[in-house]
């Protein structure tokens, strides 16, 4: 399934889980990574722009990893690593400035090749208003065969995944941690169902725990996979808005659900509409304008 170079990349990424642009300099002098294990810390330091102390630790861990059966670990846990050079890697993500070097996935990999995907995002504190909005937006989308992408967070993300499943569609969830540390814990059952019947992905090796910096990184994948982004409820400054910024940078269409002016969680989408986002209150609007 993997070329010798891809196996080397998987070994490297397991202990140095950074985006592709950070490790690409290695390939300029060693395209097949044949000399990776023997590289001197000084060379690793220069190519990867690491302090010499970190380069030495990386060199030592690469040698230690020779004794670790990564293939067996991934098989036992039902995880499929997909390096950026592999045919199953989604082309949409290759267009990012900093694409994931490896995706670790559980579930139906064919969803990557679905021709139409929509990201639905919003506040972790989203109210029943988001659920109601999604009951009008999601059914036409899934009937049209559109895959729903979100981030498995509490609130709007979970509502989006649940709506896709409830109305008979498919969904992709993007984690901000490794598969051994699915977050938040209250979405454990939902994540398990997605990993079995849909697609659960992350750019982090299984052992990586959630951290404040991993979620903003995750957001570029949520927007990168989709043709357009829908915002339900959101504060004016939030992680949701960082995903919107990624979407705009990628040239994606942004839709926002208009909300009551009395709700703090309507400030974000209402302001997006003021700035040019398309207001949306049913899925047919998206089908007619985005595809």
């Amino acid at each position: 399934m993997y070329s010798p170079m891809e196996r080397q990349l998987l070994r490297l990424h397991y202990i140095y889980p950074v985006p592709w642009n950070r490790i690409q300099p290695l390939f300029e002098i060693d395209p097949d990574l044949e000399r990776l294990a023997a590289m001197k810390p000084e060379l690793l330091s220069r190519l990867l722009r690491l302090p010499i102390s970190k380069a030495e630790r990386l060199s030592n861990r690469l040698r230690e990893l020779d004794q670790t059966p990564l293939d067996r670990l991934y098989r036992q846990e039902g995880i499929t690593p997909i390096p950026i050079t592999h045919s199953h890697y989604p082309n949409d993500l290759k267009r990012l400035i900093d694409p994931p070097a490896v995706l670790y996935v559980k579930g139906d990999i064919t969803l990557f090749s679905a021709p139409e995907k929509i990201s639905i995002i919003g506040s972790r504190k989203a109210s029943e208003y988001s659920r109601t909005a999604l009951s009008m937006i999601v059914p036409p989308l899934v009937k049209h065969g559109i895959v729903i992408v979100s981030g498995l967070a509490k609130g709007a993300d979970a509502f989006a995944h649940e709506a896709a499943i409830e109305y008979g569609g498919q969904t992709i969830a993007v984690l901000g941690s490794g598969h051994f540390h699915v977050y938040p814990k209250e979405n454990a059952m939902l994540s398990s169902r997605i990993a079995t019947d849909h697609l659960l992905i992350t750019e982090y090796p299984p052992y990586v725990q959630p951290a404040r910096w991993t979620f903003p990184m995750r957001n570029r994948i949520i927007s990168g996979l989709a043709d357009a982004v829908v915002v339900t409820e959101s504060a004016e400054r939030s992680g949701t808005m960082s995903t919107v910024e990624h979407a705009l940078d990628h040239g994606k269409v942004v839709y926002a659900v208009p909300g009551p002016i009395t709700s703090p969680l309507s400030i974000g989408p209402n302001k997006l509409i003021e700035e040019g986002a398309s207001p949306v209150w049913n899925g047919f609007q998206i089908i007619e304008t985005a595809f």
Side-chain angles (χ1 to χ4, degrees):
M1 182 178 182
Y2 304 111
S3 69
M5 181 277 290
E6 288 170 339
R7 290 186 179 280
Q8 290 288 77
L9 174 55
L10 292 178
R11 289 176 61 244
L12 173 63
H13 195 263
Y14 186 82
I15 56 177
Y16 189 57
V18 297
W20 174 244
N21 61 312
R22 295 276 302 280
I23 58 177
Q24 206 167 5
L26 287 173
F27 290 83
E28 294 174 7
I29 67 162
D30 187 13
D32 294 322
L33 296 184
E34 293 176 340
R35 295 182 284 137
L36 179 62
M39 279 189 186
K40 299 293 185 183
E42 293 78 11
L43 181 58
L44 287 172
S45 175
R46 178 168 60 83
L47 292 173
L48 300 177
R49 298 184 179 182
L50 290 173
I52 189 65
S53 60
K54 290 188 177 181
E56 288 172 348
R57 286 198 296 271
L58 178 59
S59 180
N60 291 334
R61 293 200 64 195
L62 281 168
R63 286 193 293 271
E64 293 169 359
L65 200 62
D66 280 338
Q67 308 305 317
T68 304
L70 288 180
D71 287 351
R72 188 191 311 166
L73 166 69
Y74 293 136
R75 284 197 302 270
Q76 288 175 346
E77 300 297 333
I79 298 169
T80 301
I82 303 177
I84 192 170
T85 53
H86 198 277
S87 59
H88 288 158
Y89 190 96
N91 287 326
D92 291 331
L93 295 185
K94 292 181 181 179
R95 301 186 184 101
L96 299 178
I97 295 173
D98 54 352
V102 179
L103 293 171
Y104 301 85
V105 312
K106 286 186 173 186
D108 185 359
I109 297 176
T110 65
L111 294 185
F112 277 141
S113 57
E116 297 171 347
K117 306 180 193 72
I118 294 289
S119 290
I120 299 178
I121 57 174
S123 173
R124 288 176 172 81
K125 298 178 181 179
S127 69
E128 284 300 311
Y129 183 70
S130 282
R131 283 193 190 273
T132 301
L134 291 177
S135 72
M136 303 173 71
I137 291 170
V138 172
L141 298 181
V142 300
K143 188 174 182 179
H144 192 72
I146 296 170
V147 174
I148 305 302
V149 181
S150 198
L152 201 72
K154 290 188 292 185
D157 287 17
F159 297 168
H161 295 304
E162 289 166 350
I165 295 169
E166 178 183 353
Y167 295 111
Q170 295 290 314
T171 189
I172 299 173
V174 186
L175 296 174
S177 57
H179 283 289
F180 292 170
H181 300 281
V182 173
Y183 180 88
K185 292 183 178 179
E186 50 262 60
N187 284 346
M189 289 184 63
L190 177 60
S191 69
S192 178
R193 182 167 185 184
I194 292 172
T196 301
D197 300 323
H198 303 268
L199 187 59
L200 185 67
I201 75 171
T202 177
E203 67 177 312
Y204 300 110
Y207 65 85
V208 175
Q209 299 189 31
R212 290 185 66 181
W213 59 269
T214 61
F215 294 102
M217 293 295 288
R218 173 204 62 181
N219 292 344
R220 79 196 195 287
I221 300 176
I222 295 172
S223 65
L225 283 173
D227 301 288
V229 173
V230 177
V231 179
T232 61
E233 292 178 288
S234 173
E236 186 174 0
R237 297 181 183 277
S238 66
T240 299
M241 291 304 156
S242 79
T243 308
V244 170
E245 290 173 6
H246 284 299
L248 294 172
D249 289 342
H250 304 153
K252 306 297 176 73
V253 180
V254 175
Y255 297 89
V257 176
I261 60 175
T262 54
S263 170
L265 292 179
S266 291
I267 294 176
N270 287 348
K271 191 170 183 63
L272 286 174
I273 292 170
E274 179 187 34
E275 294 172 351
S278 299
V280 63
W281 51 89
N282 72 63
F284 293 109
Q285 295 169 287
I286 298 172
I287 294 169
E288 291 170 359
T289 57
F291 303 105

